[in-house]
Every structure is written in C-alpha cells, then in structure tokens.
Amino acid sequence: MSLTLVIANRNYSSWSMRPWVLLSQLNIPFREVLIKFHSSEWVEQLPRLSPSRLVPVLWDGTPGAPDALAIWDSLAIAEYLAERHPEAGVWPAQARARARARSISAEMHAGFRALRNAMPMNIRSQHPGKGHTPEALRDVARIESLWRETRAEFGATGPFLFGRFSAADAMYAPVVMRFATYHPPLSDESRAYCAAIQEAGAVSQWAAAARLEREFVPEDEPYAAAPAA
C-alpha cells in the first residue's frame, strides 16, 4: 500500500510541515495532497480526506477508500511510520534516547501555546522583534533548555538533537522557522542547531516552496495588513 500525506499551506501550516519533513528527510516514499486554507477544496475535499477535519492526515492506501487506513495527528503519524518503516530511524535506536525524544516531542505537541500565539509560523515573512511577550520568551527559554540538555547527552554524533535526524527534529522544525521570522534572542548553541535544521534538505525544500505561496490567511498574519485586492 502507498502513503499519501494531506497537508495545507506550507507558509502557515506548522503541523503539516512536521510529517512532510520527517517523511522527506528519512527518504520514505509518499505522495502529497495539498489543500489550501479557506479554499473551495478545503470545504469540498477535507471531509472526505480527514476524519478530524484537520491536517495533516497520512493515508496508507488510496485516500478515502474503504480499505485504506487514515492516521491523523503529527505524533500518531510519526509512531505509525516508526512501526511501518523500522529501518528509517524515525526515533533514536537507544532506549534512553528514544524515551527522551518522545518526551520532548510530546511537550512540543501539547505546550508552548504562548509562543504559538505570539509568533505564528510565517516562513515567507520577517517580523523581527514582534511577538516577544514575556510568556512567549519563557517558552523560548524552555525550548532552548530542552535543546541544550538533549544535545549535551545525545547529540555528539551529528548536528541534530540526537545526532542524526529524527522525529524530534521534525517536531521542532516549525519552531526554528518561527525563530527565523521573529528573531528572539538565542544562544550561539541554539543558533547552530537552527542553522542545521534550516540546512536539512527536506526543511530547505519546504521553506523554498512556502516562500512562493501568495495566499494571505488573516489569523496567521497578526503583524501584517491584507494585500490590496
């Protein structure tokens, strides 16, 4: 059975970015279906393609077919890929590292709401200094501590959190995109990690495509006015 990933706008959809980057960086074959926010396709196709009416959704088999399997939610997709493709190294091989990777990924999944709200992902734009609320900067500090502690214990063999690229890096890739847009103060170590993520092939491809998008989604653009019609 073949894999299909349903995603939304690359410029804005941080949750879509995570599994797309994971699949692409680990060379797991898939096809994509991109449905833009606020489009007629979103209204017409999403009920058929997404049980949760949200993206991302990974289909194993023909999307929407009775015998196909839908997996929604980024962490659920990562776990499914780890089971389906054990050779790909979705999670670190060593048990202690794997437990840490799942923990910091789950914290990303459930937390950092102040950062999400104050600095929504917007890859094509530059808003240095915007969104630097005390609450968002506390989230930034917590993320930096997670990166620093994880790299110190598990990252000696490469530039990523656990040396080689894993689901944990995919989970934090949209945070790196936010930091590149809003420029919060970061340590040299954090900046080096951000550079490694941005230079990863899949992240670079996603970001390049995001910068070509022209749709304007008001709820994701708190620091910009809508372009003139």
Side-chain angles (χ1 to χ4, degrees):
M1 299 176 77
S2 60
L3 297 177
T4 300
L5 184 69
V6 182
I7 62 172
N9 306 55
R10 284 181 167 83
N11 186 53
Y12 300 121
S13 185
S14 58
W15 291 111
S16 295
M17 182 183 186
R18 292 177 168 102
W20 191 97
V21 163
L22 182 62
L23 284 156
S24 299
Q25 190 68 21
L26 298 186
N27 297 311
I28 299 173
F30 71 103
R31 62 182 290 267
E32 74 171 56
V33 173
L34 191 154
I35 307 176
K36 298 293 181 71
F37 292 132
H38 305 316
S39 66
S40 59
E41 290 80 9
W42 185 270
V43 174
E44 295 164 4
Q45 297 183 29
L46 200 65
R48 178 178 64 86
L49 293 176
S50 174
S52 67
R53 306 298 194 271
L54 299 170
V55 291
V57 182
L58 182 72
W59 284 89
D60 200 337
T62 303
D67 62 340
L69 176 63
I71 306 97
W72 59 97
D73 185 279
S74 294
L75 273 181
I77 291 171
E79 294 291 2
Y80 184 75
L81 293 174
E83 293 179 356
R84 194 183 191 277
H85 290 277
E87 77 290 347
V90 171
W91 297 110
Q94 196 265 340
R96 181 181 175 92
R98 192 163 60 249
R100 174 70 65 83
R102 285 182 165 128
S103 292
I104 65 174
S105 295
E107 185 170 352
M108 177 69 257
H109 188 274
F112 308 122
R113 294 188 182 279
L115 174 65
R116 299 175 199 269
N117 292 335
M119 305 181 200
M121 193 174 85
N122 189 338
I123 294 172
R124 71 176 175 226
S125 297
Q126 283 291 298
H127 297 298
K130 298 293 187 182
H132 291 197
T133 65
E135 296 81 7
L137 292 179
R138 281 197 290 272
D139 282 351
V140 172
R142 172 59 180 164
I143 289 167
E144 285 200 278
S145 71
L146 290 174
W147 290 355
R148 182 175 59 253
E149 293 164 7
T150 300
R151 290 269 309 136
E153 184 171 356
F154 302 107
T157 60
F160 301 114
L161 291 173
F162 296 86
R164 69 182 300 274
F165 194 93
S166 74
D169 299 293
M171 289 297 293
Y172 281 90
V175 171
V176 172
M177 298 295 102
R178 286 174 162 93
F179 290 173
T181 297
Y182 300 98
H183 300 265
L186 299 174
S187 68
D188 290 345
E189 188 176 9
S190 292
R191 284 196 293 269
Y193 173 68
C194 288
I197 288 293
Q198 289 177 282
E199 291 165 6
V203 175
S204 178
Q205 291 171 36
W206 178 278
R211 294 185 185 102
L212 297 177
E213 293 182 347
R214 293 294 174 261
E215 294 80 14
F216 186 91
V217 177
E219 57 266 32
D220 290 319
E221 293 276 6
Y223 308 113

